[in-house]
Structure formats: structure tokens, C-alpha cells
Amino acid sequence: MYEVLDLLIVGAGPAGLSAARIASAQGLTVAVVDEQARFGGQVFRQAPGEFAAADPDSMHTYPFSHSLFEWARGSTAVQWHFSTLVWGIFDDQQDEHLRQVGIAGPNGASVLKVRRVLIAAGAYDLPVAFPGWTLPGVLTAGGVQTMIKSQSLMPGQRFLLVGGHPLLLLVAELLLDAGAQIAEVAISRSLPKMREMLRATRALPGQSRLVKQLIAILWKLRRHGVPLRFGTGIARVEGKESVQAAILCQLDHNWQAIGDTQRRVDVDTVVVGYGLLASTELARQAGCGVYWDSAAGGWLVEHDDRLRSSQPGVLVAGEQTGIAGAFNAHLQGELAAWQCVLELTEQAYEPIEHTLLGLMARLKRNRRFTDTVITLSAPKLDALTQRITPDTVVCRCEEVTAQEVTQFLDAHPYVTDINSIKLACRTGMGMCQGRYCQHTVAQMLASRLGCGMEQVGIYKAQAPVKPVPVMALANME
Ligand SMILES: Cc1cc2nc3c(=O)[nH]c(=O)nc-3n(C[C@H](O)[C@H](O)[C@H](O)COP(=O)(O)OP(=O)(O)OC[C@H]3O[C@@H](n4cnc5c(N)ncnc54)[C@H](O)[C@@H]3O)c2cc1C
């Protein structure tokens, strides 16, 4: 163990791993901390090595991934902390140039002193509340993908997929490959207009791999006779102990339900995939500024073009800066690492600056494509919250219904900040610390006030940002 590390990286996904490879090769002392048991992050999730189905080659779907994972498997130059959570980032009271990072894992909790922190903590599924969404059998797209990829577990038999994010199509492919039956894929947005399609084609050069993947999935759906319907949304899910059916309805171009169009689909599993949200809780706890971008992942961490956040010594990469896929995360990881090398070593300035500018240019080119995808699949949060009925549970940790929130707002019409709802109704106070209810509650308030989500704010993030055993903290040196 080093007394002071040069760089601590939160997250071993494409962003974190790419940063670790560059930084350690350039002589920085580096630790990578990930709450998962293995590296890979969300997109390259692996089954445990003991599983017969474990196939490390299945991860090599991106041009950069093969060499990156080969390096990670063999690297002893990095301190790896798996199954370990980063629960807080703090100022160092003795040295203003250092940060203290709280971690908790199999060996208990401890605090590491570091010169730089790179937060590459990824994203999570956008939770959407509608009547019946808490019934067993309603799952998020990322959740289903995780069950299949990391546990070889098929969570149902007859599936309905609803939403509009590209991840939904990847999950459809995964389910069909695993032998599942899909009743329908219901996409909320209407079929893109010719104008949108033409605009999108301008972003396609250089993306042939993803275009081929998309065509292959559409073809697979067709071969299996799975209907793909646009302008279709979910009204509610029905069932006693678990999902028995879903009620779908047609939507207009604003995702508003069209009257008398409801129909029932008998399924035992509903997969919901409207988008992803950046996991910014750690960055917010560290004091980094955030801004609202509904289409690109909700609240994102403010940063400059060298990925430095508003907090000195704290950088961000990957989905923290907006949902833009694994390739973008990989490039950003490298960029952040080179920036740390520039700031912390005596190496010649010019070649590093040249590398940084090259990476910035590649990121800009890649952005054209991801921005197009983001625009085409942006969730309409205001329309989604309109499906909620008074008895719909909005905060599932604390079991708070929509009615409880509305009654509080009726009684306190001057409330304009989501944290007041948290204090009064306990939404966001449970295990998930608001990851599940933040957007629903914020949209309820924003719709009521007729303002944007950026105006109602986000729950305050406190350490520990995710649950840590009290015993581990009590025994900390
Ligand atoms: C559920 C899900 C499934 C996805 N599937 C795909 C897919 O199939 N294809 C695709 O192209 N894109 C997918 N994406 C998008 C994907 O996240 C990005 O393309 C890419 O993986 C982003 O890389 P990243 O390094 O920024 O983050 P990630 O790959 O998400 O890695 C972040 C890592 O940080 C760790 N972490 C987070 N917080 C902490 C903490 N406090 N302490 C310790 N560790 C922490 C997480 O465990 C995770 O391993 C998925 C996203 C999600 C949320």
C-alpha cells in the first residue's frame, strides 16, 4: 500500500480501465475500486469464472476491448479493489492538494489519501413508475441484461419490452438468443420521420459496426415473429402476486395516450427500458457541480474539455459526462489519465498535450453519432409521469405513494425544491438514496409548477453514498 496514491479510479468499466492502463504505464501509482466482483463495468459484465457458460471472449465486442481486458487480467501495476464500494470523497485537512477517499470492502472500511480521483462510476436504468410497476416480474432492461450476462439467469418466460432506449433492442436480442419468447417490443416514440432519418444518416459514417448490429437485431425480431410497434406505451401492469398481463395503449407524438386504444397482452415479465441516468451521487457528495440534460442522462457532472470537474483534483469520465456508450467512455478514460500524467509528472509537456488534443478530436467526431442516438431516443419524462395514479408507489424503499406526495404539495403550495419533499415525505431516504424515485418525484413537482427539472433540483448526496455496514465504519482506523 502507498501512503499517498497518485490516482484513485472509481469504476472498472471501459472508462476506468482505459484510464488505469494509461496512468500506470506512465508511472503513476494507481488504485481501481469497483463494487462489482470483476472488471468490465455494465457493458462487459462477466459471469463468474466457475460458470460453465463463462466466456471471456463474449466481451470483445468493441475494437478496444480485447487488448484492454488482456492488460487488466495480467496487470500487477495497479492496486485492484473489487467488491469494494467508494462511499465518500473528502478534503484532506492537512494538505489541500490531497483528497481522502472512503472505501469499504471485504477487508472492512478505510480511507485512502490520493492526489487525484477519477470518478468513472457509470450509469443506471431510468426508473419509470406506472400502476403495477412494483409487481414481481417488472424489470428494467439493464437488470435483465445483468441477470443473463452475469448469472446466466432467465427471469421469465413470456416477455413484453417497453420503452425506447437502444438498450431495449440489445436486451431483445439477448432474450431471443437465450430462447425466451417475446410477445412484443413497444416503442413509445413514433416512427422517425423522413427528415429525422436523413439527419441521422449524416452521423453514420464510421459507425458501420453499430449499424450492422442494429440491422441484425431488427432482422432477428422479424425472423422470430416479434412485433416492433412504435407509438405504443404502457398504461399499467396487472397481476395479483406477480405480472399476469400488461395494458398497452397507442401514443401520439407527445407520448400522450390516445383514447380507446388500450389492449391487453398476456405476459409474465415486463422489461422497461426508457433510458439511463448517470450515477452522479459520488460526484455530488464530493461537491462537484452538476447540470440537467434530460436526453443525455439526467443530472450530469460539470467538466471542462479535459474532464476536470468543478472540484480541484476530481476528474470524471464515461457516463458521468452523459450517456454516450462504451467507446466514448474508453476515449474519455484515456483523456482523463493523460491529464493526470500532465499534472503529476515531470514528463515533457508537448507530446502529452498533443495526445490530449488528438483524443479530444476523436471524442468530438464520435459525439456526432451518440448525440443523434440520444436525440432519437430521448425519454419524455413529463408524459411518463402522467400514467401514475394516486395509489402508485413512487418511492419503493420508503413505500410512499403519489397521493402522499400530492397531498403534501397541496398543503404546501410554496414548495419548489425536491429536497423539501424528501424531508417531509421520506422519498429518497431509503436504501437506494433516491436512485429509484428522484426523477418521478422531481417530474411530479416540475409538472405542477410548470417549470423544468433543473429548477426543482436533485436530492442532496451525503456520505455514505451507498449502504455501508455500520460495523465497518466503526472499526475503521
Ligand atoms: C445496466 C446497464 C446495461 C448496459 N448495457 C450496455 C450494453 O449492452 N451495450 C452498450 O453499448 N452499453 C450498455 N450500457 C451503457 C454503458 O454503461 C456504457 O456504454 C459503458 O459501459 C460506460 O462505461 P463507464 O466506464 O462509463 O461505466 P460502467 O461500464 O457503467 O462502469 C462503472 C463501474 O463503476 C462501478 N461503480 C459505480 N459506483 C461505484 C462506487 N460508488 N464504488 C465502487 N464502484 C462503483 C460500477 O460497479 C461499474 O462497474 C449499459 C448501461 C447500464 C446502466
Side-chain angles (χ1 to χ4, degrees), residues 10-16 33-36 40-43 62 84-86 120-125 142-143 145-146 149 167 170 276 281-282 317-319 325-326 329 465-466:
V10 188
V33 187
D34 198 303
E35 55 186 329
Q36 299 298 323
Q42 299 292 4
V43 54
Y62 283 83
T84 302
L85 177 76
V86 175
Y124 61 101
D125 289 280
Q145 195 190 44
T146 302
K149 275 190 183 176
L167 182 58
L170 295 177
L276 300 173
E281 59 279 342
L282 196 58
E319 313 286 56
V465 294
K466 289 185 186 174

Side-chain angles (χ1 to χ4, degrees), residues 390-427:
D391 58 352
T392 305
V393 170
V394 289
C395 168
R396 52 197 305 171
C397 299
E398 295 290 318
E399 297 186 347
V400 182
T401 61
Q403 188 169 28
E404 288 170 72
V405 174
T406 1
Q407 277 171 353
F408 165 71
L409 292 174
D410 286 345
H412 302 89
Y414 47 82
V415 165
T416 54
D417 168 28
I418 183 172
N419 282 291
S420 308
I421 305 179
K422 178 177 176 177
L423 289 174
C425 304
R426 298 196 57 79
T427 54

